[in-house]
Amino acid sequence: MKKEMFEPFNSSDNNFEQCVKCTICTVYCPVLEVNPDYPGPKQSGPDGERLRLKDQNFYDESLKLCLNCKRCEVACPHGVKIGDIIQLARIKYSKKKPKVRDMILANTDIVGTMASTFAPIVNPIVALKPVRLMMDGVLKIDHHRIFPEYAGMRFETWYRRYAASKQTDFKKHVSYFHGCYVNYNFPKQGKDLIKIMNAAGYGVHLLEKEKCCGVALISNGLIKQATKQARHNVEAFKKSIVDKNMPVISTSSTCIFTIRDEYPHLLGVKNDEIRNESELATRFLFRLIDSGKLKLVFKKDYRKRIAYHTPCHMEKLGWSVYSTALLKMIPGIDFVSLESRCCGIAGTYGFKKENYKTSQGVGKPLFDQIESSDIDFVATDCETCKWQIEMSTTKKVEHPISILAEALDVEATVKLWQK
Amino acid sequence: MKFDNIIIGGGLSGLTCGIKLAEQGKKCAIVSSGQSAIHFFSGSFDLLGKMDGQDVKNPLEAIKILPDTHPYQRVGIENISRLVVEAPRLLDRAGLNFFGKADENHFVLTPMGIMKPTWLTIDDFTRFEQNDAFPWKKAVILNFSGFLDFHTLFVQDGLKKYGVDTQIKNFAMKEFEAIRRNPSEMRSTNIAKVFDSGDALDEFAQKVNQLSEGFEVVLLPAVFGLFTKNVALNLKAKVNKPVVLLPAIPPSVPGIRSQILLRKRFEELGGTYFLGDNVEEGTFKNNRLVAVQTNNHGDIKLEADQFVLASGSFYSKGIVATREKLYEPILGLDIDGDTDSEKWLDEKFFNDQPYMHYGVKTDSGFRALKNGKPIENLFVAGSVLGGANALKEGSGAGISLLTSLHVAEQILK
Ligand SMILES: Cc1cc2nc3c(=O)[nH]c(=O)nc-3n(C[C@H](O)[C@H](O)[C@H](O)COP(=O)(O)OP(=O)(O)OC[C@H]3O[C@@H](n4cnc5c(N)ncnc54)[C@H](O)[C@@H]3O)c2cc1C
Ligand code: SF4
Ligand code: SF4
């Protein structure tokens, strides 16, 4: 009786007409709380859209203050895609050309390639105070920011040299979208993933050629390039998912959110054939365990007190439950949950000098919670949240996959499915 | 993903049901597609305010003569008498202090300047014992310049009937300049945020003290304490006259605080609250609901021993009416209401509208019916239930609270 008429929420394209002006979204916007120059989600989103459709001169450059955190969308009782409306308006109407700095920040893969090649030189240089001041003055990258270090050997190189050949030993297989951060800055996270997946009985493969998901290109207004990369990635995913029947997993919540939702909503790149089987590694593992197909065995002596931070895009996906459920399976973990709040970095947003104050203001309540929670470290699924929290608190941040890898008893786990 | 209990809808009924179950050690999840009707709430929970157009004095007595189909009758008078004591205690444990008696309605002053009977009122607001008198003779009504969601003239008109001499004063403060620039953002929640985060309260209280000189009482819109109730308390301590807060046009500041605190309590008890997710359908087996599927979790279904449907009324899309059909959109449950759309409306707008009584059909134990048969482990609570015109009789929150606690007891049996 119901199917023919039921309209799910969160489904139409630009559904600003569904707004009933209740202003609930404005209560939960983290920017509005600290920066009165920002008009807020209702005004920038559905209300502004009505005006912009009449005359595009109503477009207001202050919309670039939006973090695209989508917390407004999660709260809206009427399923209005406020964040999408704002981002689409920026794409359509913004006349400001991206600056050199924005291009540098946005091209995480090109800059990463150059930097990791020269990592031993680049790392000390960007860490130097005079260099940071120069970046601040010339490029308007805030000098408080500490750049993530570049790794000497890229993940892809490491994989080809040391891991690729072993992956065919397994009966079951997945592809791994590692993203720029794992490739250039933090290969360990990719290695940890391979450790877990292998222990779970899965061979891990790289896509034919992955490109940066493009999230930073989108937020810096480099839409043409973002669209090109999105099309490329969807094709690469298809080769794995459709041709080889191999799902694609990732360890970056932002990459996977961008590929699943922002490609169709903001770039108009269709992804129907790949969307359902592109997901986070923690969700993939959870499903296996939940359906009784996998059992993980953990070391007896692993003891840690950790707090989980929900990145905005995890809040929107509703998926933090998978990561926290896995963490809670580790017997030696004393788990503390943090109130779900934006950390303020929002990718490249917080790197820009003009946003520094807003960014730290947004994150402050989270930092205070972390500092007062007496934990060993913070767990989170997003790499930019990691930079932000490590820079703004005294605590280290680990990815849930790395924590699992550390706590896992590989031999005992393998024994369970090998016999 | 397996839980003991899953509740569809995170409004007043879903949350209180979840809290009661979690307090008894159940592993619960609540799925809610968006924020709920609590955001619009006036500050008072009604049990039964009106009957045959008359104010109800003693709701517990009056409930006895309601029709058998009314949710209160179906919960049973004995259960009700017990649950009306339990409900405010449960709210209290969540940090929400409500006061009032189930056998004697008190009155609150509405933004229209009318005394309205109600059951429980949150401690931000003033409870009055009589509906034909106002305890003070000279009142000042204060408002923020540019704040359009508080209709001072209505309040003034209303108070005139009680022989109160009132004066309206507007004032500005520099802390509100930023939000005033944009008139559509001068809303209660944004004003409340200024008080929550900054130190505007001291200066504000000083201003109130100056402006209220020569008056016996100060009337203000309820824009204090979005995230913490201390702001409202501090204000009352700093102002040297009695302060009467009045609800402004929603969203309501005490309402949002209530939602936040109830959710927090539920989560502290170990509950999982999925916000911004939509239950799309259910899997039934042998008259049982085994699992539900949601937008965010897709093929990973949410399973539970018992489910509670608390998806709200028309406003929250718990019940949907199209031109020709009335239906329950999530699970396709039976509806208690006329299928003939001609009968939905009474042509006289102010009459008791038939459609306002419509809701999901249940058996006597509040189990949902599907194709005429009860679903053994699916219970229904709150405004998605039929059998009452909550708006007309002033019973909205009462029905939500008492049916949800009753359903929790059925599950715990
Ligand atoms: C605007 C308004 C103001 C009111 N003010 C008062 C008042 O001041 N005092 C009073 O006594 N009564 C008031 N009422 C009466 C009100 O009905 C009850 O007080 C009570 O809030 C209803 O609670 P509920 O939990 O049953 O439903 P709701 O609060 O409507 O909650 C239902 C929830 O279910 C969610 N939901 C719906 N479909 C799905 C789905 N498919 N998947 C997941 N989640 C879903 C919705 O998003 C919503 O959050 C008011 C009602 C309205 C509409
Ligand atoms: S919460 Fe949704 S419906 Fe309410 S004002 Fe914001 S966009 Fe509009
Ligand atoms: S996406 Fe985030 S920053 Fe942007 S309007 Fe919504 S809540 Fe505010």
Side-chain angles (χ1 to χ4, degrees):
Chain A
M1 156 178 172
K2 52 174 265 255
K3 276 290 144 204
E4 79 249 44
M5 309 172 283
F6 180 49
E7 274 177 50
F9 285 146
N10 314 327
S11 65
S12 90
D13 284 347
N14 187 341
N15 59 353
F16 73 94
E17 322 86 336
Q18 283 176 18
C19 170
V20 300
K21 315 256 166 267
C22 67
T23 74
I24 283 177
C25 50
T26 63
V27 177
Y28 300 95
C29 172
V31 177
L32 202 56
E33 218 164 299
V34 296
N35 189 345
D37 292 333
Y38 182 54
K42 171 170 156 288
Q43 189 66 17
S44 309
D47 284 5
E49 192 65 10
R50 217 170 282 268
L51 298 172
R52 292 188 290 265
L53 284 178
K54 280 195 203 120
D55 178 353
Q56 65 176 65
N57 286 322
F58 281 109
Y59 175 76
D60 183 343
E61 286 293 342
S62 64
L63 260 59
K64 68 174 185 296
L65 290 169
C66 168
L67 298 161
N68 197 23
C69 69
K70 315 258 192 217
R71 288 186 185 260
C72 48
E73 288 186 14
V74 175
C76 172
H78 295 273
V80 180
K81 291 159 119 189
I82 313 157
D84 287 357
I85 295 172
I86 296 172
Q87 295 309 310
L88 282 169
R90 291 184 53 194
I91 292 174
K92 232 164 114 187
Y93 305 117
S94 177
K95 297 212 175 68
K96 286 244 166 86
K97 286 246 152 41
K99 300 182 186 137
V100 177
R101 176 218 42 204
D102 299 352
M103 304 231 197
I104 294 178
L105 288 174
N107 278 288
T108 43
D109 49 357
I110 299 172
V111 176
T113 309
M114 290 183 342
S116 59
T117 311
F118 302 108
I121 315 172
V122 174
N123 287 334
I125 292 183
V126 284
L128 285 179
K129 206 153 180 214
V131 175
R132 297 218 317 254
L133 286 175
M134 192 272 293
M135 295 204 295
D136 186 300
V138 181
L139 293 172
K140 303 278 178 272
I141 294 173
D142 197 278
H143 69 272
H144 294 90
R145 286 285 162 209
I146 299 164
F147 265 76
E149 281 195 18
Y150 286 97
M153 186 192 288
R154 267 175 253 164
F155 174 71
E156 285 183 357
T157 317
W158 172 87
Y159 176 86
R160 295 219 162 83
R161 246 180 243 175
Y162 303 108
S165 63
K166 294 178 211 145
Q167 302 308 316
T168 45
D169 298 348
F170 296 89
K171 285 208 193 80
K172 294 172 280 185
H173 301 275
V174 291
S175 297
Y176 176 41
F177 183 91
H178 49 70
C180 302
Y181 172 70
V182 165
N183 203 23
Y184 304 114
N185 303 111
F186 203 57
K188 177 175 177 293
Q189 193 165 302
K191 296 175 195 171
D192 289 338
L193 177 91
I194 293 180
K195 177 176 168 187
I196 295 181
M197 293 311 292
N198 285 174
Y202 281 80
V204 179
H205 305 266
L206 302 192
L207 292 169
E208 219 172 83
K209 183 167 184 351
E210 73 165 63
K211 288 219 157 131
C212 164
C213 72
V215 66
L217 294 168
I218 299 174
S219 61
N220 284 291
L222 299 156
I223 298 308
K224 248 207 201 131
Q225 197 190 338
T227 312
K228 215 169 110 198
Q229 290 182 199
R231 290 218 178 90
H232 170 97
N233 280 337
V234 170
E235 285 312 312
F237 274 55
K238 266 192 212 163
K239 278 188 191 139
S240 170
I241 294 170
V242 182
D243 300 351
K244 297 189 211 143
N245 214 357
M246 263 163 39
V248 183
I249 59 174
S250 176
T251 39
S252 164
S253 51
T254 290
C255 296
I256 220 66
F257 172 72
T258 304
I259 292 164
R260 283 172 61 100
D261 291 345
E262 306 277 71
Y263 280 8
H265 296 158
L266 298 185
L267 301 176
V269 174
K270 284 219 168 67
N271 63 359
D272 305 343
E273 285 171 89
I274 59 144
R275 187 174 185 272
N276 281 345
E277 284 182 86
S278 314
E279 65 176 333
L280 273 183
T282 50
R283 184 171 189 246
F284 187 86
L285 286 167
F286 178 90
R287 184 188 294 102
L288 289 176
I289 297 170
D290 196 44
S291 56
K293 291 185 187 128
L294 171 68
K295 209 172 152 2
L296 298 179
V297 186
F298 295 100
K299 293 176 191 156
K300 300 230 158 40
D301 55 353
Y302 185 87
R303 287 235 175 323
K304 289 281 183 288
R305 182 172 158 88
I306 58 170
Y308 181 80
H309 160 64
T310 306
C312 297
H313 291 156
M314 286 296 266
E315 178 79 12
K316 173 67 182 154
L317 286 164
W319 286 2
S320 56
V321 63
Y322 301 123
S323 296
T324 54
L326 288 179
L327 290 174
K328 286 177 189 166
M329 286 173 197
I330 305 174
I333 276 195
D334 182 6
F335 187 86
V336 181
S337 29
L338 298 169
E339 197 190 327
S340 174
R341 296 197 67 121
C342 179
C343 75
I345 185 94
T348 58
Y349 181 99
F351 276 85
K352 301 179 183 175
K353 191 172 168 62
E354 67 272 23
N355 294 338
Y356 182 77
K357 213 173 129 219
T358 301
S359 174
Q360 295 312 102
V362 165
K364 187 164 184 303
L366 175 72
F367 309 149
D368 291 348
Q369 262 191 82
I370 291 174
E371 290 296 6
S372 65
S373 61
D374 186 29
I375 45 166
D376 293 312
F377 50 82
V378 177
T380 197
D381 288 271
C382 169
E383 53 268 20
T384 56
C385 295
K386 173 179 157 89
W387 303 339
Q388 172 76 336
I389 294 170
E390 289 188 341
M391 190 200 100
S392 315
T393 71
T394 56
K395 300 292 180 219
K396 283 270 161 227
V397 179
E398 296 269 6
H399 193 281
I401 288 292
S402 296
I403 298 172
L404 286 175
E406 168 93 38
L408 193 70
D409 183 336
V410 175
E411 255 172 60
T413 303
V414 170
K415 252 193 208 142
L416 287 179
W417 55 264
Q418 244 179 4
K419 57 181 174 192
Chain B
M1 207 180 310
K2 176 84 172 57
F3 296 89
D4 293 335
N5 313 125
I6 290 175
I7 299 161
I8 306 171
L12 184 61
S13 38
L15 275 164
T16 46
C17 187
I19 289 173
K20 170 143 183 164
L21 290 167
E23 281 181 338
Q24 298 300 316
K26 294 283 183 188
K27 187 180 165 210
C28 290
I30 294 179
V31 189
S32 198
S33 46
Q35 295 289 9
S36 75
I38 308 182
H39 281 64
F40 302 93
F41 128 95
S42 62
S44 292
F45 289 157
D46 303 336
L47 185 56
L48 191 62
K50 295 255 179 204
M51 203 175 228
D52 306 322
Q54 299 291 313
D55 278 3
V56 168
K57 284 212 168 66
N58 180 342
L60 274 189
E61 272 305 308
I63 281 172
K64 293 181 185 156
I65 51 170
L66 286 171
D68 290 346
T69 47
H70 195 284
Y72 289 151
Q73 289 288 5
R74 286 150 61 200
V75 171
I77 305 299
E78 245 173 70
N79 289 328
I80 294 272
S81 316
R82 189 168 40 78
L83 295 174
V84 290
V85 183
E86 188 184 324
R89 290 191 185 147
L90 180 139
L91 297 169
D92 197 75
R93 291 193 291 274
L96 292 166
N97 310 113
F98 278 82
F99 296 95
K101 293 187 213 147
D103 57 4
E104 191 184 352
N105 271 333
H106 63 262
F107 298 91
V108 283
L109 189 61
T110 70
M112 307 301 283
I114 297 165
M115 289 287 185
K116 188 185 95 104
T118 191
W119 168 37
L120 292 172
T121 295
I122 196 164
D123 58 355
D124 296 44
F125 294 103
T126 311
R127 280 164 287 130
F128 298 96
E129 295 190 357
Q130 288 167 289
N131 65 348
D132 52 5
F134 190 69
W136 299 279
K137 288 280 155 259
K138 239 170 123 38
V140 62
I141 306 168
L142 296 182
N143 194 18
F144 302 82
S145 300
F147 182 48
L148 305 176
D149 288 348
F150 183 52
H151 298 298
T152 46
L153 286 172
F154 287 140
V155 183
Q156 185 167 49
D157 264 7
L159 287 179
K160 213 177 274 168
K161 282 187 267 158
Y162 306 113
V164 185
D165 183 11
T166 56
Q167 200 178 334
I168 297 171
K169 295 184 183 176
N170 288 316
F171 62 90
M173 265 170 68
K174 68 171 190 323
E175 279 84 353
F176 300 103
E177 285 309 303
I179 46 175
R180 253 195 87 184
R181 258 184 279 158
N182 183 343
S184 74
E185 295 311 304
M186 189 74 182
R187 305 291 301 265
S188 356
T189 53
N190 292 337
I191 299 179
K193 279 190 172 180
V194 173
F195 286 117
D196 267 7
S197 57
D199 33 20
L201 196 69
D202 279 329
E203 188 192 333
F204 175 75
Q206 260 178 23
K207 248 197 169 116
V208 173
N209 281 333
Q210 280 163 17
L211 294 170
S212 62
E213 222 149 291
F215 295 91
E216 297 164 28
V217 63
V218 187
L219 277 68
L220 280 167
V223 294
F224 307 95
L226 193 54
F227 299 118
T228 141
K229 86 173 211 184
N230 294 340
V231 182
L233 293 180
N234 289 346
L235 172 77
K236 289 185 185 175
K238 285 182 175 146
V239 172
N240 50 31
K241 301 269 159 58
V243 174
V244 172
L245 297 181
L246 294 181
I249 289 182
S252 142
V253 169
I256 292 171
R257 191 199 315 141
S258 305
Q259 170 87 34
I260 291 172
L261 289 177
L262 286 171
R263 174 178 172 175
K264 198 164 160 217
R265 168 79 178 151
F266 175 68
E267 289 182 325
E268 278 169 3
L269 290 163
T272 308
Y273 194 93
F274 295 112
L275 182 63
D277 198 4
N278 203 52
V279 176
E280 290 175 336
E281 58 184 330
T283 315
F284 292 90
K285 216 188 234 164
N286 303 329
N287 281 329
R288 287 178 72 83
L289 177 60
V290 226
V292 292
Q293 186 175 325
T294 76
N295 182 43
N296 284 346
H297 296 294
D299 68 303
I300 299 183
K301 297 200 172 152
L302 308 186
E303 299 164 83
D305 296 333
Q306 289 97 4
F307 292 82
V308 178
L309 183 75
S311 50
S313 187
F314 295 97
Y315 172 80
S316 291
K317 300 200 173 70
I319 304 285
V320 177
T322 59
R323 217 168 262 283
E324 35 321 299
K325 248 179 190 167
L326 187 68
Y327 64 104
E328 187 285 303
I330 309 172
L331 303 166
L333 302 172
D334 297 353
I335 292 284
D336 209 350
D338 274 298
T339 37
D340 178 1
S341 59
E342 302 265 305
K343 296 199 184 125
W344 293 356
L345 294 175
D346 187 305
E347 56 211 45
K348 294 213 184 72
F349 183 77
F350 287 103
N351 278 2
D352 186 3
Q353 292 294 339
Y355 81 93
M356 294 293 289
H357 292 253
Y358 297 168
V360 170
K361 211 181 212 162
T362 69
D363 71 359
S364 61
F366 285 84
R367 287 181 188 84
L369 300 186
K370 190 171 161 76
N371 304 322
K373 278 202 200 126
I375 306 297
E376 283 167 34
N377 65 338
L378 172 60
F379 297 85
V380 186
S383 55
V384 67
L385 284 164
N389 183 343
L391 195 67
K392 191 96 190 154
E393 65 186 25
S395 62
I399 292 177
S400 291
L401 277 169
L402 302 176
T403 56
S404 77
L405 297 182
H406 179 64
V407 156
E409 287 186 343
Q410 305 312 300
I411 290 175
L412 290 166
K413 253 184 202 165

